[in-house]
Amino acid sequence: MTQPVEINFTEVALDKLADHQGRVALIMTDASKLPGKLPRVIRDAATRALASKAGRALKPGQALELAFPAGMAADALILVMLPNSATQAEARRAGAALGAKLGTGHTLVLAGSHKQAGQIAFGLALRGYDFSVYKTKPATPDAAPAQAEGLIPEQQAGQDDAVLGDAQATEAPDSADAPIGDKARVTVMVKDPEALAKSAQDAAAVAEGVFFTRDLVNEPANVLTTTDFADRLLAMQEIGLDVEVLDEDQLAKLGMRALLAVGQGSESPSKVVVMRWNGGGDEAPLALVGKGVVFDTGGISIKPGAGMEEMTMDMGGAGVVAGTMRALALRRAKANVVGLVGLVENMPDGRAYRPGDILKSMKGDTIEVVNTDAEGRLVLADVLWYAQETYRPRAMIDLATLTGAVIIALGHDNAGVFSNDDMLAGQILSAAKSEGEGAWRLPLGAAYDGLINCRLADMKNSGGRAAGSITAAQFLQRFVKEGQPWAHIDIAGVALPPGGTDLAPKGASGWGVMTLDRLVRDGFEDA
């Protein structure tokens, strides 16, 4: 998997800045006051940069880059504005401004005694992600080199990389085999490096979980088959997770006919993978359930060809569950959590399920298929029921790239949250807000539930275009037992947004790993 950039913490040594070969970044709390006792060449270069138009416009969380500063061995001097009063989000954006320009080589960051140094490092790690495993040639610049003045203002968070960053992003696709001098690495100079390094361990675990999710969502479907996905999850036994893979014969014996129907047109066998982290006491676990459709053609109700290549991301919910479980195991969370993912591929074939078919779920309820492209809810229905029957969870949350309708409602800035429990919904929204991941609660209700009633079976698998994300949630709620706290999070708009975000380049965002980790930390972890 893609590994976060190596970040080390060390004591402040100002005499090393001028001779550092690579990139040097200064975290500044005040535009009119540079860090004390800086080498003169650095002070002169920074003063000149800050006096420029771009320097005067610098806002908290933004960076200004001076290429090949005179008198320094560095390739670039980067000035990052971050007042002492900066918020966590601003600090992460400041780090992301550096992470977006890492390129290769060694970046030295002077953070001193800044109280948000840990968040700066976390933002840097998250934005430094680069999924280039399938590129056989190094990146090339798309524009002219920097102007004579040498000042390159950092673009707004979420936009494409600036010219210098692109020009330097020349790491070979197989970076594990690259010489150490060609690998991106970061050293952060702080007042108390040992304390910060210790506190940053949990953040490093979360960053690795986010990267794991992004890798899974970015992978093409000819690589990330249901079998490959399951194998990657099995490999997490090495970090302490208990992992079990249920094959088609076992799923048939359990009665998961809804899930199996979705995958019966594919050559890839359907599977359910269960990951358990038992870090708490004897209490019932939190259950996380993910939709893992590794590719979704729509089946017989086939999707339009335009944009279908992005349906490799339809396993995004399973990716978030897997990344969260990885983060919890790596940081040794003091909680009991079980992650369950249903892995299928929805393909048109002579054996594929059809509109008009009637399926019997593991619960025993019957479902008329009116649209084979409403497949994710069929997968989740059986896995949700299995989670409750097997683990009796204290709370249950499912995540899925479930509906295009949620994008119409909320765009790409917020996931849709549905819940039968106000307390659980509040915990999720609070965790998402704390981590800067957008989430918004949408309603459930009897009127919406009536839209999926059916003449021939207990329910149909689609209520039509009106309130499409809500009727999908109502369908799932029919497979939640009375009294079971449950939430459904529709991440269709946030899993693979059309552009980059504050903390991620264009591509898979990894949305949800930080939120779920915070939820566990604040609401389910033993003191």
Side-chain angles (χ1 to χ4, degrees):
M1 63 164 284
T2 305
Q3 290 291 334
V5 63
E6 176 189 339
I7 301 178
N8 294 302
F9 299 92
T10 187
E11 293 180 348
V12 175
L14 298 178
D15 57 317
K16 295 182 179 180
L17 297 178
D19 298 326
H20 177 74
Q21 295 183 355
R23 301 160 74 78
V24 175
L26 304 181
I27 308 299
M28 304 184 307
T29 59
D30 190 330
S32 62
K33 186 178 180 181
L34 292 167
K37 299 181 180 180
L38 282 174
R40 183 171 180 177
V41 291
I42 298 179
R43 183 172 294 278
D44 290 347
T47 300
R48 175 172 172 263
L50 292 171
S52 70
K53 182 178 179 180
R56 294 193 301 271
L58 207 57
K59 293 182 174 63
Q62 292 184 331
L64 183 68
E65 184 166 307
L66 178 62
F68 305 105
M72 294 181 64
D75 297 332
L77 175 64
I78 308 166
L79 308 177
V80 183
M81 182 60 60
L82 195 68
N84 278 320
S85 58
T87 64
Q88 173 182 281
E90 289 172 334
R92 289 180 179 179
R93 283 199 298 270
L98 298 174
K101 308 298 178 189
L102 277 181
T104 58
H106 187 188
T107 297
L108 190 61
V109 181
L110 177 61
S113 58
H114 203 295
K115 64 180 182 180
Q116 295 278 22
Q119 296 299 330
I120 296 169
F122 187 51
L124 188 155
L126 290 175
R127 185 57 180 82
Y129 177 83
D130 177 30
F131 189 79
S132 57
V133 66
Y134 298 109
K135 293 193 174 184
T136 60
K137 297 178 181 179
T140 55
D142 296 325
Q147 298 299 314
E149 186 180 346
L151 298 175
I152 304 177
E154 176 69 273
Q155 293 187 340
Q156 296 291 332
Q159 295 182 354
D160 291 338
D161 291 350
V163 175
L164 186 57
D166 281 341
Q168 292 184 344
T170 57
E171 189 171 346
D174 190 1
S175 59
D177 295 330
I180 187 65
D182 293 334
K183 288 184 179 180
R185 54 196 177 100
V186 177
T187 298
V188 182
M189 287 185 171
V190 290
K191 185 177 180 180
D192 189 349
E194 289 187 8
L196 188 56
K198 185 176 181 180
S199 66
Q201 289 177 355
D202 284 355
V206 175
E208 185 167 324
V210 172
F211 275 37
F212 190 58
T213 296
R214 290 177 182 174
D215 278 1
L216 290 169
V217 176
N218 280 328
E219 285 283 10
N222 63 320
V223 173
L224 192 73
T225 62
T226 55
T227 299
D228 181 79
F229 201 152
D231 287 345
R232 296 189 191 204
L233 302 187
L234 273 171
M236 290 202 290
Q237 293 177 114
E238 297 174 359
I239 61 172
L241 286 171
D242 293 328
V243 184
E244 179 185 12
V245 179
L246 305 178
D247 62 22
E248 288 187 337
D249 287 343
Q250 291 169 295
L251 300 179
K253 289 178 182 178
L254 288 167
M256 291 196 189
R257 299 174 188 86
L259 182 150
L260 288 170
V262 175
Q264 69 190 34
S266 172
E267 294 296 322
S268 291
S270 298
K271 301 174 185 290
V272 170
V273 182
V274 181
M275 299 159 279
R276 287 173 289 172
W277 175 251
N278 299 312
D282 297 327
E283 71 274 5
L286 167 68
L288 305 176
V289 177
K291 169 190 170 183
V293 180
V294 295
F295 193 78
D296 181 21
T297 64
I300 299 300
S301 307
I302 197 163
K303 294 177 181 290
M308 194 191 289
E309 70 277 4
E310 290 192 349
M311 286 300 99
T312 57
M313 52 77 76
D314 211 22
M315 36 57 62
V320 174
V321 171
T324 301
M325 297 304 296
R326 187 176 191 89
L328 296 176
L330 287 172
R331 72 172 182 82
R332 298 296 185 259
K334 296 179 180 179
N336 294 335
V337 184
V338 57
L340 307 96
V341 296
L343 307 181
V344 302
E345 184 178 37
N346 188 20
M347 297 288 282
D349 181 80
R351 297 176 300 154
Y353 77 129
R354 299 153 291 239
D357 284 0
I358 295 179
L359 312 174
K360 189 174 183 180
S361 69
M362 181 182 176
K363 178 187 176 184
D365 288 352
T366 56
I367 306 161
E368 181 186 9
V369 177
V370 297
N371 187 335
T372 63
D373 195 23
E375 85 297 332
R377 63 203 71 182
L378 300 175
V379 174
L380 290 173
D382 278 345
V383 182
L384 286 169
W385 195 255
Y386 177 78
Q388 294 167 95
E389 289 282 282
T390 307
Y391 297 103
R392 304 290 193 271
R394 58 192 291 194
M396 181 170 64
I397 302 169
D398 74 77
L399 299 98
T401 51
L402 203 63
T403 67
V406 81
I407 304 176
I408 302 303
L410 300 175
H412 297 282
D413 295 313
N414 287 282
V417 178
F418 304 82
S419 184
N420 64 0
D421 186 277
D422 289 342
M423 179 177 291
L424 180 59
Q427 289 176 303
I428 293 169
L429 295 173
S430 177
K433 183 177 180 180
S434 175
E435 296 301 322
E437 294 190 312
W440 195 263
R441 190 176 183 183
L442 293 170
L444 294 168
Y448 297 113
D449 191 68
L451 296 176
I452 57 172
N453 287 336
C454 177
R455 179 178 65 88
L456 297 173
D458 295 326
M459 70 197 82
K460 55 186 177 180
N461 75 325
S462 175
R465 291 177 60 84
S469 60
I470 301 175
T471 55
Q474 292 287 171
F475 180 94
L476 295 178
Q477 190 177 30
R478 293 196 180 193
F479 297 90
V480 177
K481 294 184 177 183
E482 188 72 27
Q484 171 67 64
W486 158 80
H488 159 60
I489 307 179
D490 194 333
I491 62 171
V494 295
L496 189 72
T501 66
D502 282 355
L503 302 178
K506 185 175 181 178
S509 67
W511 189 103
V513 174
M514 293 191 296
T515 291
L516 292 178
D517 177 78
R518 173 57 58 187
L519 175 74
V520 171
R521 191 185 302 269
D522 291 347
F524 293 86
E525 198 161 359
D526 293 340

